[in-house]
Amino acid sequence: SLADRYLNELDVQDGGTYIVMYTAHGKKPPKEFYRNLDRIVAYGLAERHAHGSVICRGRRAAEAVRRIAEHYSLTVRVFKVVEVT
């Protein structure tokens, strides 16, 4: 799967939290996109949140989700979460 390939290719170590937001501009993303996304969720590296957003545990997972979204021609942005205390 693309999810496994991208996770294996990436050698990024960062334990932070990231939010990945994606949009398909009026069309529904293909089922394959969601299957790949669900693999990353199943590994415990991310969780699907509101429509069009994923919370990722670490930059590696966020980068993999970004690459998957781009593979399916979705517009994607990645944000690092900084907790304000």
Side-chain angles (χ1 to χ4, degrees):
S1 74
L2 286 176
D4 292 319
R5 185 173 91 198
Y6 292 145
L7 286 171
N8 289 330
E9 286 177 1
L10 294 166
D11 188 24
V12 179
Q13 300 301 323
D14 178 355
T17 300
Y18 291 79
I19 296 176
V20 181
M21 300 182 73
Y22 58 87
T23 184
H25 299 288
K27 59 184 177 179
K28 189 173 181 179
K31 290 180 183 178
E32 294 82 4
F33 168 74
Y34 291 109
R35 286 189 193 116
N36 279 287
L37 189 57
D38 287 342
R39 288 184 77 90
I40 295 175
V41 170
Y43 294 145
L45 298 174
E47 57 186 68
R48 287 170 64 174
H49 209 57
H51 179 70
S53 66
V54 181
I55 297 175
C56 297
R57 292 174 187 85
R59 185 169 171 209
R60 180 173 159 250
E63 183 66 17
V65 172
R66 182 187 68 77
R67 289 184 183 189
I68 292 166
E70 288 178 344
H71 177 84
Y72 292 106
S73 301
L74 306 180
T75 299
V76 62
R77 296 193 61 193
V78 179
F79 301 92
K80 182 168 184 168
V81 176
V82 177
E83 185 176 350
V84 178
T85 56

